[in-house]
Amino acid sequence: MKIIRTVAELREEVGTWRREGRTVGVVPTMGALHEGHLSLVRRALAETDRVIVTLFVNPKQFNDASDLDAYPRTEESDAQKLKPLGAHVLYAPSAAEMYPSGFQTKVSVSGVSEGLCGAGRTGHFDGVATVVSKLFLQAGADRAFFGEKDFQQLHVVRRMARDLDIPIEVVGCPTVRDADGLALSSRNERLSAGDRSNASAIAAALREAAESLAAGADITETLEAATVRLKSIPEARFEYLELRHEDDLSPVNALARPARLLAAVWLGDVRLIDNVPVAVP
Ligand code: PAF
């Protein structure tokens, strides 16, 4: 596995693959890799000939400086996890390479960026859309692989690629969970032991509410009951619980097409998000 730090070197490598007729996949990450990321890399390796994993802790998507400072930076152990899988390139540019002095552009997606995580994290999705559009253009890949855990991000990235005519297929991959149901996240490592044992209640509340909705339960009552449940998790600070259509994230009043139940809950200073599919009754 090659470690590449500049756009020029990445383009040269991808150019060689293209001349050999290879397809290219990209897995964008901010590092602190866990089994969820590795499942994306395996999927990319299964579907494309050459795989680039990007590792860049993007300052533009953090609306809170202390969250950026606390974000784990573990490049060496990330590289050790990727090598045995057979990833071809780890692309880890510096902040100066990604945003050279004089950088003034922002990519902003409206609609799907609004509400949910967009409401509580001002500027977050502009930062995501800006860096991901750059990564797509730098890598020139055929397919990009993203986890469904960040479901709104997946919509933002898809919309951005379509609207900017970036010729890449954005592939959404299922959330990977711990044995107790907690969705894997780089942030989980920052949970205290007590918060970690309470965190599985988020996934359980979502799953059970989704099952009730799919069985035809009243939407308002089910969401209210699930909200009470999330608010009663010890030490939890509830941010949102919402039912949105799976295809465009529009709010759901009646379940006539597939939906997602999405939530954000803080445990201590760690913000956890999760979502589950909701079938039409
Ligand atoms: O999901 C993430 O890790 C980040 O938001 C991403 C897509 C790598 C952009 O920085």
Side-chain angles (χ1 to χ4, degrees), residues 204-281:
L206 289 181
R207 198 184 54 244
E208 285 166 36
E211 282 167 8
S212 301
L213 291 167
D218 179 79
I219 294 177
T220 309
E221 281 172 19
T222 308
L223 295 192
E224 273 171 15
T227 301
V228 168
R229 214 169 142 185
L230 291 173
K231 285 183 174 167
S232 70
I233 298 172
E235 312 299 333
R237 189 153 52 84
F238 173 84
E239 190 175 307
Y240 69 75
L241 171 73
E242 288 195 42
L243 185 64
R244 299 285 187 110
H245 286 114
E246 189 150 81
D247 54 355
D248 62 4
L249 289 188
S250 59
V252 176
N253 299 316
L255 253 178
R257 53 186 217 270
R260 286 262 161 174
L261 191 54
L262 307 104
V265 174
W266 292 78
L267 287 176
D269 63 350
V270 183
R271 184 175 179 278
L272 298 177
I273 59 170
D274 199 356
N275 69 85
V276 293
V278 180
V280 177

Side-chain angles (χ1 to χ4, degrees), residues 62-203:
F62 286 82
N63 55 327
D64 174 350
S66 61
D67 194 24
L68 173 61
D69 289 345
Y71 206 86
R73 287 154 174 89
T74 55
E75 182 181 318
E76 246 175 58
S77 70
D78 291 339
Q80 293 312 318
K81 288 176 190 166
L82 291 170
K83 273 185 208 157
L85 298 187
H88 300 88
V89 161
L90 175 61
Y91 174 52
S94 65
E97 180 72 8
M98 188 60 80
Y99 302 120
S101 122
F103 186 87
Q104 291 183 359
T105 299
K106 178 165 83 178
V107 178
S108 185
V109 179
S110 50
V112 289
S113 292
E114 290 154 17
L116 303 170
C117 292
R121 302 187 72 191
T122 312
H124 168 68
F125 286 122
D126 289 352
V128 170
T130 302
V131 81
V132 174
S133 56
K134 283 176 68 76
L135 290 169
F136 282 1
L137 295 167
Q138 292 170 356
D142 302 286
R143 285 191 191 163
F145 299 82
F146 289 84
E148 286 184 349
K149 185 185 77 78
D150 298 293
F151 200 70
Q152 190 176 13
Q153 168 172 281
L154 181 59
H155 272 271
V156 170
V157 166
R158 276 208 178 113
R159 188 73 262 162
M160 174 276 293
R162 265 188 229 144
D163 290 355
L164 297 182
D165 301 314
I166 301 180
I168 192 163
E169 183 191 345
V170 176
V171 182
C173 306
T175 301
V176 178
R177 297 178 181 279
D178 265 340
D180 65 357
L182 177 66
L184 295 193
S185 163
S186 308
R187 294 172 194 272
N188 294 357
E189 284 174 25
R190 287 170 44 209
L191 291 169
S192 68
D195 287 341
R196 172 63 193 86
S197 69
N198 294 328
S200 60
I202 301 171

Side-chain angles (χ1 to χ4, degrees), residues 1-2 17 38 41-42 44-46 48-53 79-90:
M1 184 178 73
K2 260 194 195 171
W17 295 342
L38 303 186
V41 177
R42 286 191 200 98
L45 285 163
T48 52
D49 302 324
R50 292 289 179 269
V51 171
I52 303 161
V53 179
Q80 293 312 318
K81 288 176 190 166
L82 291 170
K83 273 185 208 157
L85 298 187
H88 300 88
V89 161
L90 175 61

